[in-house]
């Protein structure tokens, strides 16, 4: 192992031993834990340091009651039982922060302002999904289970939680400790030679 490689136990925690949970324990997820997750992953790469990911923690009973009807039937029970539910979204006005985030590109704000919303949303979505992948790894690094879900009414979530149209929901993420009988047996994966080629 090189001096810059993390040890096997850490690799196992992040990758080979982690599972998508189907049940959660009852221990709450604190604001401090969520802040720690963000602090771990905020240096993940994005194009021109755009940083378009936004995270909404659905914590209050009232907010959860607004979200649950928008979840598909198969995901509603998981969302009900999860200690914390987050909506991960892309900020279509991400460029408003670029004077701070990308001072090396002084024309970046004007460049993105001149683009269409659809063009900005494509940039925001791609880069926010990059960040979201790192966010899941950071959840695992915090010793928690992460359950990302696409089974929800996206238009409904956008209307209910992001009425001004600025944010666009990517997926819903349940996090918490594993519960009883927490996951199915590991599914098959493609092998290296099925995925990687050299030219």
């Amino acid at each position: 192992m090189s001096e810059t490689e993390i040890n096997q136990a850490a690799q196992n925690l992040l990758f080979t031993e982690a599972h998508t949970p189907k049940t959660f324990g009852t221990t709450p997820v604190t604001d401090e834990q969520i802040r720690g997750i963000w602090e771990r992953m905020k240096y993940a790469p994005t194009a021109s340091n755009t940083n378009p990911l936004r995270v909404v923690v659905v914590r209050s009973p009232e907010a959860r009651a607004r979200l649950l009807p928008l979840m598909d039937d198969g995901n509603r029970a998981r969302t009900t039982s999860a200690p914390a539910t987050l909506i991960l979204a892309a900020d279509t006005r991400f460029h408003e922060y670029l004077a701070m985030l990308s001072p090396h590109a002084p024309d970046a704000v004007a460049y993105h302002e001149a683009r269409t919303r659809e063009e900005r949303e494509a940039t925001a979505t791609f880069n926010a999904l990059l960040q979201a992948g790192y966010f899941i790894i950071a959840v695992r690094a915090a010793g928690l289970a992460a359950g990302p879900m696409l089974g929800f009414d996206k238009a409904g979530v956008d209307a209910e939680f992001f009425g001004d149209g600025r944010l666009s929901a990517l997926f819903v993420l349940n996090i918490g400790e594993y519960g009883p009988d927490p996951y199915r047996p590991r599914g098959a994966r493609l092998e290296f030679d099925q995925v990687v080629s050299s030219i």
Side-chain angles (χ1 to χ4, degrees):
M1 187 171 76
S2 75
E3 291 183 2
T4 58
E5 185 178 0
I6 62 174
N7 65 42
Q8 191 62 52
Q11 292 182 46
N12 292 344
L13 175 69
L14 298 178
F15 300 105
T16 58
E17 293 178 0
H19 290 258
T20 301
K22 62 179 184 176
T23 68
F24 291 92
T26 58
T27 303
V29 175
T30 67
D31 290 338
E32 291 73 21
Q33 285 175 297
I34 295 172
R35 180 179 293 277
I37 289 164
W38 174 255
E39 293 298 330
R40 286 183 186 93
M41 63 73 55
K42 68 182 181 180
Y43 297 106
T46 55
S48 299
N49 204 30
T50 44
N51 284 260
L53 181 68
R54 303 293 179 263
V55 180
V56 176
V57 182
V58 183
R59 188 169 304 280
S60 70
E62 295 79 12
R64 292 176 78 86
R66 290 163 55 201
L67 177 62
L68 285 172
L70 301 169
M71 301 303 298
D72 289 358
D73 290 343
N75 289 329
R76 198 167 294 134
R78 295 182 189 187
T79 304
T80 300
S81 67
T85 299
L86 287 62
I87 303 171
L88 273 61
D91 184 355
T92 63
R93 301 287 301 173
F94 64 89
H95 60 290
E96 293 177 0
Y97 294 95
L98 291 183
M100 175 188 70
L101 295 172
S102 299
H104 60 281
D107 298 328
V109 175
Y111 167 76
H112 287 289
E113 189 63 41
R115 301 171 79 202
T116 65
R117 177 189 167 90
E118 290 74 21
E119 290 171 330
R120 285 196 306 269
E121 188 162 359
T123 297
T125 299
F126 173 80
N127 287 285
L129 284 170
L130 279 178
Q131 289 184 286
Y134 279 94
F135 194 94
I136 290 171
I137 297 298
V139 169
R140 293 175 170 183
L144 300 173
M149 299 178 295
L150 282 176
F152 68 99
D153 177 354
K154 174 180 162 40
V157 168
D158 284 350
E160 181 67 30
F161 292 91
F162 311 135
D164 64 0
R166 176 173 182 139
L167 301 187
S168 175
L170 300 170
F171 58 86
V172 175
L173 181 68
N174 289 325
I175 64 174
E177 294 180 352
Y178 289 113
D181 187 25
Y183 43 77
R184 293 186 292 270
R186 175 79 74 194
R189 298 295 193 271
L190 296 176
E191 297 298 329
F192 179 86
D193 291 339
Q194 295 174 288
V195 175
V196 180
S197 60
S198 297
I199 56 174

